[in-house]
């Protein structure tokens, strides 16, 4: 598993850089040069042990690379970040990175800040717009000029229709067209015969749109320990890849068949990631499964930990601040826990016991993060997960079918399947001690 220590070295460097905010970038660069120079000397002095020296040198360099990468991407240290240029009411030019999400009294949208008072800057923020006709017409890619105060500490800004104008719209880029298709499919699902309570769950599973999930449903899923089913993640991407693979069984196990099947799976996985809004958790899962699919096409037996490490290296090099993201931590902790328990799980004869083992291993691995972040623990998670996860394949398949054909004959089986899941989650959530508060 050669990529595992590389990923750990990179991760350690990023964490070290976060924990030493006063250390300048020049120090990290000097550390990289020094470690390379020292490694060269050791390599010459210990030529007979060159493999060991080269490995240590490479890991040391990756550690420093992690520190440098985090240092230059940290918005607090980045002199061009918009936070350092908002001293008073300012004019901010920004571009919408997603479709605005409706809330109770406002719309929330992630934006990329491009200018502050005419000066080029970079960085992202959360923009909150008062609910009105103008805000409801905003789409992905729109460029706005906003006047007002920005909260530099929280990275947010609240504004009304009187304080911004739409400078330009994006309707031609590939991402804008995909987002337009996503919203068209969403409107079709909303207009379909599926009741609103179940439609909100179906929209979350197929399009990554969680704004229509009923608050009671959200609370019940959370208290039952299956809130992860409402967010498109590795579970859903894996189910989709398996679904496509099962449908392509006729391609056979030869190289040509594996190539055809794998190519279709890659298209399905990344198409699903695009249509659900390219959420970070979805992209991570799509990346990992893509590596697995490619290794299968090539006919190579690849250690799963290597695939996990490779996806971690790619995502952290792209955005080292992900180490502070709870979703990133939970997804990698869960997969790591499952992989560590995999040898014991494989030997189980009963599928029910295997499902229980997967749930237990993932929950144990993520428990420290969950408790530290949310200060809660759900002791009955096993009851709901063991029953629901085996049916996740059916739920996702029915949701995708309803998205494609929002008719009565597709709505009925999905509605009653989700009603059964809701009944289970409500019962589990109502049990004594379903939520343990940990201070």
């Amino acid at each position: 598993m050669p990529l595992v220590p590389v990923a750990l070295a990179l991760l350690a460097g990023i964490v070290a850089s976060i924990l030493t905010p006063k250390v300048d970038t020049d120090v990290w660069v000097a550390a990289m040069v020094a470690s390379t120079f020292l490694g060269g000397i050791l390599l010459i002095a210990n030529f007979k042990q060159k493999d060991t020296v080269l490995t240590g040198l490479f890991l040391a360099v990756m550690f420093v690379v992690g520190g440098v990468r985090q240092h230059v991407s940290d918005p607090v240290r980045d002199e061009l970040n918009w936070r350092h240029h908002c001293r008073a009411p300012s004019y901010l030019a920004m571009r919408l990175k997603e479709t605005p999400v409706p809330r109770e009294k406002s719309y929330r949208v992630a934006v990329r800040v491009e200018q502050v008072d005419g000066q080029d800057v970079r960085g992202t923020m959360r923009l909150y717009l008062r609910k009105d006709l103008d805000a409801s017409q905003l789409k992905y890619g729109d460029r706005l000029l906003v006047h007002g105060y920005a909260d530099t500490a929280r990275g947010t800004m609240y504004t009304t229709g009187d304080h911004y104008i739409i400078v330009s719209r994006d309707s031609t880029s590939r991402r804008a067209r995909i987002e337009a298709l996503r919203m068209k499919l969403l409107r079709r699902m909303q207009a379909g015969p599926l009741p609103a309570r179940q439609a909100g769950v179906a929209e979350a599973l197929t399009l990554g749109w969680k704004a229509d999930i009923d608050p009671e449903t959200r609370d019940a899923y959370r208290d039952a320990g299956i809130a992860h089913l409402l967010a498109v993640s590795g579970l859903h991407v894996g189910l989709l890849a398996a679904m496509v693979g099962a449908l392509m069984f006729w391609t056979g196990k030869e190289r040509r068949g594996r190539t055809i099947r794998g190519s279709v799976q890659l298209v399905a996985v990344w198409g699903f990631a695009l249509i659900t809004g390219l959420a970070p958790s979805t992209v991570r899962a799509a990346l990992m499964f893509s590596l697995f699919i490619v290794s299968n096409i090539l006919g190579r037996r690849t250690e799963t930990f290597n695939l996990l490490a490779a996806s971690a290296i790619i995502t952290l090099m792209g955005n080292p601040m992900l180490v502070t993201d709870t979703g990133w931590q939970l997804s990698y902790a869960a997969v790591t826990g499952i992989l560590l328990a995999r040898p014991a799980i494989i030997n189980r004869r009963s599928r029910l016991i295997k499902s229980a083992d997967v749930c237990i291993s993932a929950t144990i691995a993520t428990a420290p993060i969950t408790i530290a972040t949310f200060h809660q623990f759900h002791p009955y998670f096993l009851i709901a997960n063991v029953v629901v996860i085996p049916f996740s394949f059916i739920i996702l398949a029915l949701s995708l079918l309803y998205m494609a054909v929002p008719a009565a004959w597709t709505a009925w089986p999905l509605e009653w399947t989700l009603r059964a899941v809701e009944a289970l989650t409500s019962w589990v959530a109502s049990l004594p001690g379903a939520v343990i508060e940990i201070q």
Side-chain angles (χ1 to χ4, degrees):
M1 298 180 289
L3 292 180
V4 174
V6 176
L8 292 176
L10 180 68
L11 178 63
I14 294 172
V15 173
S17 179
I18 293 175
L19 296 177
T20 55
K22 295 183 180 180
V23 178
D24 294 333
T25 306
D26 294 341
V27 176
W28 281 99
V29 174
M32 179 183 292
V33 174
S35 62
T36 305
F37 180 73
L38 179 61
I41 295 176
L42 291 175
L43 184 62
I44 295 173
N46 300 277
F47 186 75
K48 293 181 179 180
Q49 300 178 352
K50 62 177 183 179
D51 291 342
T52 303
V53 174
L54 283 173
T55 300
L57 172 62
F58 184 69
L59 294 180
V61 170
M62 288 304 298
F63 175 86
V64 181
V65 166
V68 173
R69 185 69 186 90
Q70 192 282 329
H71 203 288
V72 298
S73 63
D74 191 341
V76 177
R77 295 163 170 160
D78 185 3
E79 294 181 357
L80 288 179
N81 190 273
W82 64 268
R83 289 174 172 83
H84 302 298
H85 302 272
C86 292
R87 299 286 186 268
S90 304
Y91 287 95
L92 288 82
M94 56 185 66
R95 181 179 178 179
L96 274 61
K97 294 177 59 181
E98 61 183 4
T99 299
V101 179
R103 295 162 60 88
E104 184 178 354
K105 297 181 180 180
S106 63
Y107 287 95
R108 182 191 66 198
V109 60
V111 300
R112 180 180 293 108
V113 184
E114 298 176 338
Q115 289 185 336
V116 173
D117 293 329
Q119 181 178 351
D120 291 340
V121 295
R122 56 192 175 205
T124 61
M125 70 157 60
R126 287 286 184 184
L127 180 66
Y128 293 86
L129 306 112
R130 187 181 63 188
K131 275 191 172 180
D132 54 30
L133 183 60
D134 291 335
S136 66
Q137 303 300 316
L138 292 176
K139 301 178 181 178
Y140 165 87
D142 289 350
R143 281 188 165 87
L144 308 180
L145 182 62
V146 185
H147 181 254
Y149 290 92
D151 188 337
T152 56
R154 297 182 178 180
T156 60
M157 186 175 187
Y158 184 86
T159 187
T160 63
D162 299 332
H163 292 83
Y164 72 87
I165 59 173
I166 301 174
V167 178
S168 65
R169 292 187 180 275
D170 179 9
S171 59
T172 58
S173 69
R174 184 178 304 172
R175 178 67 191 278
R177 290 176 179 176
I178 293 173
E179 192 65 18
L181 173 62
R182 181 189 179 209
M183 291 299 103
K184 182 178 180 180
L185 291 172
L186 176 64
R187 289 190 292 270
R188 287 185 63 200
M189 293 182 73
Q190 291 172 337
L194 190 65
R197 190 181 184 94
Q198 288 74 40
V201 177
E203 293 164 12
L205 294 177
T206 56
L207 298 172
W209 186 261
K210 296 184 285 186
D212 293 336
I213 298 177
D214 184 81
E216 294 182 3
T217 300
R218 191 191 305 271
D219 293 343
Y221 274 64
R222 180 199 63 205
D223 294 344
I226 57 172
H228 55 89
L229 293 177
L230 297 178
V232 178
S233 60
L235 173 64
H236 306 90
V237 176
L239 288 173
L240 178 63
M243 192 184 308
V244 174
L247 292 174
M248 300 288 292
F249 72 92
W250 52 271
T251 56
K253 297 182 179 180
E254 299 300 324
R255 176 67 179 269
R256 183 172 180 273
R258 293 199 309 270
T259 302
I260 296 173
R261 182 171 60 254
S263 300
V264 176
Q265 286 178 309
L266 288 172
V267 171
V269 164
W270 284 105
F272 185 59
L274 285 169
I275 206 66
T276 54
L278 287 175
S281 60
T282 313
V283 173
R284 290 192 295 269
L287 177 60
M288 183 176 177
F289 279 103
S290 295
L291 294 173
F292 182 81
I293 293 169
V294 171
S295 68
N296 185 58
I297 292 175
L298 298 176
R300 296 180 179 179
R301 184 181 180 275
T302 305
E303 174 59 49
T304 312
F305 271 112
N306 267 338
L307 299 179
L308 182 66
S311 66
I313 293 170
I314 295 172
T315 55
L316 290 178
M317 287 300 292
N319 181 10
M321 294 304 293
L322 281 174
V323 298
T324 63
D325 180 72
T326 303
W328 189 90
Q329 297 169 5
L330 289 172
S331 62
Y332 278 93
V335 176
T336 301
I338 294 171
L339 293 181
L340 289 174
R342 186 182 179 186
I345 295 174
I346 292 177
N347 294 326
R348 300 290 193 183
R349 295 182 179 180
S350 171
R351 290 188 177 182
L352 183 63
I353 296 178
K354 286 183 178 180
S355 179
D357 286 346
V358 169
C359 297
I360 293 172
S361 58
T363 302
I364 291 175
T366 58
I369 301 172
T370 303
I371 293 173
T373 305
F374 304 108
H375 307 288
Q376 289 184 345
F377 183 71
H378 308 285
Y380 303 125
F381 70 92
L382 188 59
I383 300 175
N385 277 277
V386 168
V387 176
V388 174
I389 286 183
F391 283 95
S392 297
F393 188 94
I394 298 174
I395 295 173
L396 180 60
L398 291 174
S399 297
L400 290 171
L401 180 61
Y402 180 75
M403 179 187 70
V405 186
W409 65 273
T410 58
W412 183 83
L414 177 58
E415 176 186 352
W416 287 102
T417 303
L418 290 176
R419 283 184 182 274
V421 172
E422 290 168 8
L424 174 66
T425 55
S426 298
W427 174 72
V428 173
S430 66
L431 293 175
V435 180
I436 298 176
E437 300 288 344
I438 301 175
Q439 300 299 327

